[in-house]
Each structure stands twice: as C-alpha cells, then as structure tokens.
C-alpha cells in the first residue's frame, strides 16, 4: 500500500520549523546574556559600594579609637593634675597596719625578705608597734622623721634654746666667734652660697622657733595631728625647717669645738667627730658633710648623734636589717640625760626612715 502523502501546507510548516526553533533559542540566549551582564554590573556596583562602606567604617573606627585614646590620656593627665593641685601631698603618710605594710613590701623567699618579715614581726609582738607612717624618701627624710615626732608629740624646746634667742645665732657665729666661713653654707639642693646666707638662715631659724612654739603649746593630740598634716604637705616650709635643723647642728658643733679648744670636757661623740679628717673642725664638717644633706645624701649615724644632742631628744632607731644582732636597737646619743624625751624611728637600710606608731 502506498504511503499517504502529506498535504502541501503541512509540508511547508515542517520545512519552516527548524528556523523558528533556532530563532527562539537565539532570543533566549540573548536575554540570558543581557541578564548575566546586568547581574555582573549590579554586583560590581554593589561590591564597590560594600568595599567603600567597609573602608569608611574601618577608617571611622580607627578615628574613634585614636580619639578615645587621646581623650583618655588627656583625662588621665587632668585627673592627676587636679589631684596634685587639690589633694595634700603628705610627706609623712597616714598610719597603716605594720604587718600589712611588711607583707606588701617584702614578698618572696629571698634571705633579705625573710629577715625583714621576722624583724617586723618582732616589732609587732615584742615592742607592740601596731602601725607605721611612711616617710617621703629623699635626703631630708631623717630630719623629717625626727621633726614630725617632735611636733606631733608637742615636745618642748631644748633647755639651751629656751636660754638663747636662736634667731640671732647666725649673726652670733659671725660677729662673736668670727666664723666668717658660714657664708659658704649651702641650702641643700638649692646650693645657694652668697651674701644673703645670714638672712636666709635667720628666716629658717625664725620659722622653726615659731612652729615649735605653736606645736608645743597645743595640748590636744588630734589638733596637733591635723596641724602636722598641713605643715608636712607644704614642701617650701618643710625645706626651711630642715635647713634650720642643719644649722642648729652646725651651731652645736661649733660650740663644742670651742669648748674643746679651751680644754673642757666634751661628749665622746664629738671627740669621735673631730677625730675624722673630713670633720676635724666645724668648717670641714660643714663643707664635707652638712652641706650635702638634703642634696646628695642624708644624715649619717654620727650626724644622728649630733641631731639628738642638739635637740635634747633620745632618738631610738630600730635597724631592721640588723635583726638578731646587738645593733638592732640603737639610741642617738647613746648616753642621753634622763629627762630627755624619746622618739622612735625605724629603718631598713640606715638611709631612709619611717615613723613607728605604738
């Protein structure tokens, strides 16, 4: 049987179908390309925007971080400045528990730390010292520790000071005893030497006399304590008082030296002083020792003897680094008169001193 032939129109449609399919595929491909290109363009724009935003965010964070650091630094500086300006900078600090202070300062298992802890325990249990006042560490701290005790206890003038006007002592050394070398006296770190030495010394000694008179006249312990806090937060006044004490020591050395030249009996500590080449007379004592006090060095042991003698006080010092030896507890001077009052200090190295509180 012969196959049925397709109608002419059907055959034409069949001939045209492949071209139509190809045309449709091309349109789809074109739309895909356009869409892909649009998406790539949009992603590129979005990616650039995101990178720009991230960069701006990072720059902003870095800026604020720097700003925070700068403001924090300035705030810290201003805080310290205001504290220094409005808070008293006490050179003799408030009382702290003795054993707590020891535990904070002497940690570890070194032989020296163990020795110090035992020495502090000895002060606490045997000598009943419960607290300590830390004293500012400089080359005046021995003088500061002694004067603080004298003022806080309200001790009276030494007997020889009550008999003489100590304000006139600088002129007395010059005109009565011919000590024109006093013009080489040096005021600690100021290192002042000049024509106005006598005027400066007179003002220092006058301040010492005024302050000592005022403190010794106050009977209330707490009021003396409050006044000490005021006085020992004024560096300028302190400096003048310590220079006055140095001059009082020099005056006593000069007086005893004159007695020695007259073949009078003098205390043994002064014989020891004058036996040294560097302090064979008052001038050498001043030039080689006293002028450096407050500047490059503090008081030596023999100076502590002279200070106690000049102020007529028995200075009892607990030398903690000498624990378990006969030098753990010493007195300056060693043979004070019975009626002299006693003050106590403690030291860890014979250079810096603190005030024990019983």
């Amino acid at each position: 049987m012969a196959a049925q032939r397709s109608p002419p129109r059907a055959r034409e449609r069949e001939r045209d179908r492949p071209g139509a399919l190809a045309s449709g595929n091309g349109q789809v491909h074109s739309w895909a390309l356009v869409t892909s290109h649009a998406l790539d363009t949009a992603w590129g724009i979005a990616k650039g925007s995101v990178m720009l935003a991230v960069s701006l965010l990072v720059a902003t964070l870095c800026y604020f971080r720097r700003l925070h650091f700068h403001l924090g630094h300035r705030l810290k500086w201003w805080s310290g400045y205001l504290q220094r300006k409005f808070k008293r900078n006490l050179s003799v600090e408030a009382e702290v528990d003795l054993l707590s202070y020891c535990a904070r300062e002497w940690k570890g298992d070194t032989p020296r730390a163990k020795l110090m802890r035992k020495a502090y325990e000895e002060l606490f249990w045997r000598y009943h010292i419960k607290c300590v006042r830390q004293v500012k560490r400089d080359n005046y701290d021995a003088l500061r520790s002694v004067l603080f005790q004298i003022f806080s206890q309200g001790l009276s003038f030494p007997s020889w000071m009550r008999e003489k006007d100590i304000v006139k002592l600088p002129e007395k050394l010059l005109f009565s005893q011919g000590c024109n070398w006093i013009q080489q006296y040096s005021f600690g770190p100021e290192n002042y030497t000049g024509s106005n030495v006598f005027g400066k010394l007179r003002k220092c000694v006058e301040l010492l006399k005024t302050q000592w008179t005022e403190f010794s006249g106050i009977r209330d312990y707490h009021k003396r304590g409050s006044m000490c806090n005021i006085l020992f937060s004024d560096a300028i006044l302190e400096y003048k008082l310590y220079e006055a004490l140095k001059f009082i020591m020099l005056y006593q050395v000069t007086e005893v030296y004159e007695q020695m030249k007259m073949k009078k009996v003098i205390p043994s500590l002064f014989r020891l002083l004058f036996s040294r080449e560097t302090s064979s007379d008052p001038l050498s004592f001043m030039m080689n020792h006293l002028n450096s006090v407050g500047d490059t060095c503090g008081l030596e042991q023999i100076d502590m003897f002279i200070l106690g003698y000049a102020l007529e006080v028995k200075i009892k010092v607990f030398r903690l680094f000498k624990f378990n030896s006969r030098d753990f507890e010493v007195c300056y001077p060693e043979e004070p008169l019975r009626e002299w009052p006693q003050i106590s200090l403690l030291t860890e190295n014979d250079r810096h001193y603190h005030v024990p509180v019983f």
Side-chain angles (χ1 to χ4, degrees):
M1 180 179 295
Q4 188 174 357
R5 299 179 66 180
S6 300
R9 291 182 179 177
R11 288 196 299 269
E12 291 177 0
R13 286 195 297 267
E14 288 176 0
R15 285 196 301 266
D16 296 338
R17 188 175 296 169
L21 290 174
S23 176
N25 289 337
Q27 290 178 357
V28 171
H29 182 67
S30 298
W31 279 107
L33 289 176
V34 171
T35 303
S36 176
H37 180 70
L39 289 175
D40 288 342
T41 303
W43 169 245
I45 295 173
K47 184 178 180 181
S49 300
V50 170
M51 293 299 294
L52 179 61
V54 170
S55 300
L56 289 175
L57 180 61
V58 170
T60 303
L61 290 175
C62 290
Y63 170 76
F64 279 108
R65 184 179 179 183
R66 274 192 229 126
L67 181 63
H68 177 267
F69 176 80
H70 177 73
L71 291 177
H73 179 74
R74 298 302 298 175
L75 182 62
K76 184 177 180 180
W77 186 89
W78 277 105
S79 176
Y81 172 78
L82 292 175
Q83 286 182 1
R84 292 191 299 269
K85 186 173 181 63
F86 297 106
K87 183 180 178 180
R88 288 175 184 163
N89 184 22
L90 296 177
S91 60
V92 181
E93 298 182 12
E95 300 175 8
V96 295
D97 180 76
L98 183 75
L99 295 183
S100 297
Y101 169 79
C102 171
R104 184 177 71 248
E105 296 293 323
W106 294 101
K107 301 176 182 178
D109 295 322
T110 63
R112 184 171 178 83
K114 292 179 179 179
L115 179 70
M116 287 298 172
R117 288 198 293 268
K118 290 180 180 179
Y120 275 105
E121 290 173 1
E122 180 80 356
L123 295 182
F124 186 86
W125 294 111
R126 181 178 177 183
Y127 296 94
H128 308 291
I129 298 175
K130 305 302 180 185
C131 298
V132 62
R133 285 180 175 268
Q134 291 179 256
V135 178
K136 179 181 178 181
R137 289 175 176 264
D138 61 14
N139 290 317
Y140 281 123
D141 62 357
L143 294 170
R144 180 181 292 111
S145 301
V146 170
L147 191 63
F148 178 86
Q149 295 258 50
I150 290 174
F151 284 179
S152 64
Q153 294 182 27
L155 301 184
S156 301
F157 271 120
S159 58
W160 70 270
M161 286 190 186
R162 292 194 294 268
E163 298 169 358
K164 299 178 181 179
D165 184 2
I166 62 173
V167 177
K168 297 179 180 179
L169 294 183
E171 287 84 353
K172 180 183 177 183
L173 284 184
L174 177 62
F175 298 112
S176 299
Q177 298 178 223
C179 302
N180 58 351
W181 46 261
I182 195 67
Q183 297 181 66
Q184 301 178 64
Y185 182 93
S186 179
F187 292 82
E190 185 180 349
N191 290 321
Y192 177 87
T193 54
S195 59
N196 196 33
V197 166
F198 294 100
K200 289 174 68 69
L201 281 174
R202 185 183 181 94
K203 289 180 180 178
C204 292
V205 175
E206 186 175 12
L207 177 64
L208 176 65
K209 180 180 180 180
T210 302
Q211 293 292 329
W212 200 330
T213 302
E214 185 175 3
F215 275 96
S216 62
I218 299 173
R219 299 305 171 200
D220 184 79
Y221 171 79
H222 297 289
K223 186 176 181 181
R224 287 199 305 270
S226 298
M227 291 185 62
C228 279
N229 289 338
I230 297 173
L231 177 61
F232 288 89
S233 61
D234 190 325
I236 296 178
L237 290 183
E238 281 191 74
Y239 160 77
K240 293 180 179 179
L241 292 172
Y242 306 144
E243 290 301 320
L245 290 180
K246 284 171 53 180
F247 174 75
I248 294 298
M249 293 169 62
L250 178 61
Y251 176 80
Q252 281 295 315
V253 169
T254 305
E255 287 283 285
V256 175
Y257 184 74
E258 293 297 321
Q259 295 173 10
M260 185 182 71
K261 290 198 302 184
M262 297 170 62
K263 307 300 182 181
K264 293 184 178 181
V265 178
I266 62 174
S268 58
L269 70 96
F270 286 98
R271 288 198 299 271
L272 175 62
L273 175 72
F274 297 134
S275 67
R276 302 188 305 179
E277 292 184 2
T278 57
S279 57
S280 57
D281 54 43
L283 172 59
S284 60
F285 170 69
M286 182 188 75
M287 297 298 296
N288 298 323
H289 298 277
L290 204 60
N291 276 355
S292 300
V293 174
D295 182 18
T296 59
C297 66
L299 295 185
E300 301 177 10
Q301 278 190 280
I302 195 167
D303 300 326
M304 295 291 285
F305 282 106
I306 298 171
L307 181 62
Y309 181 87
L311 302 181
E312 293 186 357
V313 293
K314 177 182 177 182
I315 305 174
K316 185 176 183 179
V317 179
F318 296 99
R319 305 169 75 204
L320 304 188
F321 66 104
K322 295 290 186 178
F323 179 65
N324 274 341
S325 73
R326 61 188 301 269
D327 295 324
F328 174 65
E329 182 182 343
V330 297
C331 291
Y332 306 113
E334 293 179 338
E335 302 173 356
L337 299 179
R338 290 183 181 178
E339 61 269 20
W340 286 7
Q342 175 179 298
I343 61 176
S344 299
L345 308 177
L346 63 85
T347 179
E348 298 172 348
N349 51 23
D350 268 352
R351 293 190 302 274
H352 301 294
Y353 295 82
H354 296 307
V355 177
V357 181
F358 293 85

